[in-house]
Amino acid sequence: MIHTATARAHANIAFIKYWGNRDEELRLPENSSLSMNLDGLYTETTVIWNDAQKENSLVLNNQPQLGQALERVVKHLDNLRKYVPSLPNYANVISTNNFPMGAGIASSASSFAALTLASISAANITLSERTLSTLARLGSGSASRSIPTGFVEWHRGDDHESSYAETIASPDYWDLVDIIVVVSDSHKKVGSTEGHQSARTSDLQEGRLKHVDNRLKICKEALLNRDFESFSEVIEEDSNLMHSVMMTSRPPLFYWQPASVAIMQQVKQWRQDGLRVCYTLDAGPNVHCICVRKDVPEVIKQLKTLSAILDIRVASAGSGAYIVQSDEVNSQ
Ligand code: PMV
């Protein structure tokens, strides 16, 4: 018998950022973080377990993969097997992102969340959402947050079992929208796995971590009270703090580009002028402008007056990871 399952998971945007690990192997983060899943931006992954074959394979966006991409997937399957020993040994993995690579949307969160759920389901195993979140974390920290639905908090925890993400509000709790402003579609030179490793080389990381629990508390309260003003202040500060750490790490990581800074300054100005919009940036130059749904047309109108914008994508709060299809087929 060949076991197969297909899972879908959304990308997410962090409002309180995860940057730096206490344990690189287990991806136990230095701090808790908070994010929103992005509706409409997802990875769909099929896992076909088949021990009749003696190697793993990966097809990513219709391209067969060897090298680094395949190695990272195989490492994740090996990690999953440490916690779920009954998983078979060899798999064919077929994965597609419905958003282009380099569109300013991190694909590792949705990819490892979908891979985790599909791998477990294809083996006919059912695990709790919390356990799935801890397992997804082993592939990419932020993937732990793409397992639960809506607005999500990832508790940093003390060990593998206690470092997991859970929903703090459903997707329809607040009609926040992420307007992703793409200013560059080139691939980043330094990925987040390396970035996390160098975070502690910055003198500012300690300062960033000092009050991060308090920022998370303020952000969570603002979200639950739908208080846009407090929310804006705290997420911009947290994004700036993470980028300050990046810029002062050894070697320094400069993700901001002139266009990113120009948009951030404009967003501040628009807010002073009464438009309810704020920004946050992940490990890249593209700016995520956050506002409520009714303000989307005005924010886009304003953004279109600026130069150096390659593309604009809009996403509201999305669901958690889910199974699209699960089958057992006879290999004969
Ligand atoms: O999960 P990773 O290793 O891709 O790290 C994600 C890091 C940031 O996107 C910059 C911040 C975050 O919390 O998502």
Side-chain angles (χ1 to χ4, degrees):
M1 278 305 215
I2 299 177
H3 301 273
T4 163
T6 301
R8 199 181 266 191
H10 292 101
N12 69 68
I13 179 69
F15 297 142
I16 299 296
K17 307 292 188 185
Y18 147 56
W19 196 246
N21 289 320
R22 278 173 298 145
D23 182 320
E24 300 294 348
E25 201 48 37
L26 290 178
R27 294 184 199 266
L28 294 178
E30 293 277 13
N31 62 281
S32 300
S33 53
L34 194 155
S35 62
M36 174 177 100
N37 285 342
L38 298 176
D39 190 33
L41 302 172
Y42 59 80
T43 302
E44 198 168 284
T45 301
T46 300
V47 171
I48 307 158
W49 289 115
N50 184 2
D51 276 354
Q53 61 189 44
K54 289 291 165 252
E55 56 183 17
N56 298 286
S57 74
L58 169 65
V59 176
L60 185 56
N61 298 324
N62 299 318
Q63 305 284 330
Q65 304 284 318
L66 296 167
Q68 265 187 350
L70 175 62
E71 274 165 32
R72 194 161 170 196
V73 164
V74 172
K75 184 169 181 209
H76 190 57
L77 298 180
D78 290 345
N79 272 332
L80 294 180
R81 214 172 286 107
K82 281 184 204 154
Y83 295 93
V84 188
S86 59
L87 287 183
N89 290 310
Y90 297 100
N92 297 317
V93 177
I94 303 154
S95 192
T96 321
N97 297 326
N98 83 331
F99 50 93
M101 304 284 249
I105 307 143
S107 59
S108 65
S110 53
S111 299
F112 283 97
L115 177 63
T116 302
L117 181 58
S119 305
I120 299 297
S121 307
N124 241 331
I125 295 166
T126 307
L127 297 176
S128 67
E129 180 185 281
R130 174 173 169 167
T131 303
L132 286 168
S133 174
T134 60
L135 293 174
R137 193 199 72 236
L138 299 169
S140 160
S142 56
S144 66
R145 299 189 310 238
S146 282
I147 295 284
T149 189
F151 298 92
V152 172
E153 179 178 351
W154 170 16
H155 306 285
R156 73 170 218 158
D158 301 318
D159 53 17
H160 172 67
E161 279 73 26
S162 56
S163 187
Y164 69 99
E166 65 178 342
T167 297
I168 55 173
S170 62
D172 58 4
Y173 186 82
W174 196 11
D175 59 352
L176 282 186
V177 174
D178 181 5
I179 302 174
I180 304 155
V181 189
V182 182
V183 299
S184 165
D185 54 9
S186 64
H187 270 289
K188 50 188 174 198
K189 291 183 196 80
V190 180
S192 46
T193 299
E194 278 171 76
H196 291 299
Q197 287 165 6
S198 68
R200 66 177 72 100
T201 64
S202 165
D203 282 349
L204 302 186
Q205 172 74 337
E206 212 181 299
R208 184 186 80 85
L209 293 171
K210 201 168 170 198
H211 298 299
V212 68
D213 287 343
N214 197 40
R215 286 194 300 282
L216 193 140
K217 187 167 170 270
I218 292 169
C219 183
K220 191 168 164 178
E221 269 171 25
L223 206 146
L224 295 177
N225 294 326
R226 303 184 188 91
D227 172 356
F228 195 82
E229 210 171 307
S230 310
F231 176 79
S232 302
E233 297 300 327
V234 77
I235 77 160
E236 289 185 355
E237 182 181 327
D238 193 78
S239 173
N240 293 345
L241 278 163
M242 179 182 74
H243 282 270
S244 305
V245 169
M246 290 165 160
M247 288 178 212
T248 51
S249 293
R250 286 187 292 271
L253 298 173
F254 274 82
Y255 289 112
W256 289 357
Q257 288 187 3
S260 326
V261 179
I263 296 166
M264 287 189 263
Q265 284 174 333
Q266 281 297 334
V267 165
K268 283 247 174 234
Q269 186 59 53
W270 293 334
R271 197 156 76 248
Q272 267 171 28
D273 297 344
L275 182 59
R276 297 187 342 144
V277 57
C278 57
Y279 68 77
T280 184
L281 283 83
D282 274 348
N286 302 314
V287 185
H288 295 251
C289 294
I290 315 292
C291 63
V292 295
R293 187 179 309 283
K294 75 168 177 44
D295 293 326
V296 170
E298 184 58 26
V299 172
I300 291 182
K301 188 175 148 207
Q302 295 296 335
L303 284 166
K304 285 192 168 159
T305 64
L306 307 178
S307 54
I309 293 177
L310 302 181
D311 195 9
I312 293 177
R313 282 165 185 273
V314 178
S316 24
S319 76
Y322 60 96
I323 289 295
V324 181
Q325 204 183 333
S326 175
D327 279 317
E328 268 191 27
V329 282
N330 205 312
S331 56
Q332 299 312 305

